[in-house]
Amino acid sequence: RSSDLFIVKLLKPLKVVKKTLEDIDVKGKKVFVRADFNVPLDENQNITNDKRIVATQPTIRYLLEHGYTPIWFEDLEHVEDYEKPILLTFDDGWQNNYTNLLPLVKKYQVKVTIFAVCRYLEKKGGNHMTKAEALEMYECGYVSFQSHMYKHVDLRLYSPEQQEKQMRRSRLYLTRLFGKEPCAMSYPYGGSNKDIEALAREYYHFAVKMDRSRPYNTSDDPVLIYRFFPHKNTPMRQYKGWLKSAFPG
């Protein structure tokens, strides 16, 4: 079921509630697509089931064939230049983003955004990409790295000083690594409050949440960009509920 593998985040409502992209009239709309590449690995970090990766390719092909332009968050400030822009986002900086996503990005020549946890990039081995792999992805010309904080921590549990330090260190780290200042962040665990959102405005232009209640509209607060978060065990009825919230009528 393709709907187990992605969720469409709509910036503007559509008219029809359907099950797959082939059944949805997405022409002339702005969408976010978040694909889940957290595939199972064995003890040697080899993929044991590539179902999610294989099933995501038709989604990418469909959007490209229908005239969509994959963009980055940097492009949102002049989004009127694109007739049908989309954003493809991936959180955390998993190692399989390098092994599995990068070949797809090159094959289809699509822009994608990775919200990276800086501390993970410093670790060697494990389930997250290394700094060298992140640089290779960046240098291909299709991958934008944005902030998922320096450490993957719930900012709501931190003091204001610690919150500010996380945002400052993350922005500085990514700027030094890629030679380009990040413009967007993803709240770890999707958690924020008024104080954290105020800090986000100081350090970034855009901030992304995970939310299961409603889509994001372009007229909303840019540091409260809502997304739906699919889990591998998410039932079909839940997907239908999300689609109904984005496709009223």
Side-chain angles (χ1 to χ4, degrees), residues 142-171:
Y142 297 112
V143 183
S144 171
F145 280 86
Q146 300 297 327
S147 175
H148 205 24
M149 295 300 96
Y150 188 78
K151 296 181 180 180
H152 196 270
V153 295
D154 191 335
L155 295 174
R156 294 168 296 185
L157 304 179
Y158 272 32
S159 68
E161 293 76 16
Q162 292 173 316
Q163 294 168 358
E164 191 276 336
K165 183 178 180 180
Q166 283 291 315
M167 294 196 186
R168 174 169 44 83
R169 290 187 70 186
S170 174
R171 187 177 69 175

Side-chain angles (χ1 to χ4, degrees), residues 20-31:
T20 67
L21 279 178
E22 287 77 6
D23 298 318
I24 297 171
D25 179 15
V26 292
K27 293 183 178 181
K29 312 300 177 183
K30 300 180 179 69
V31 303

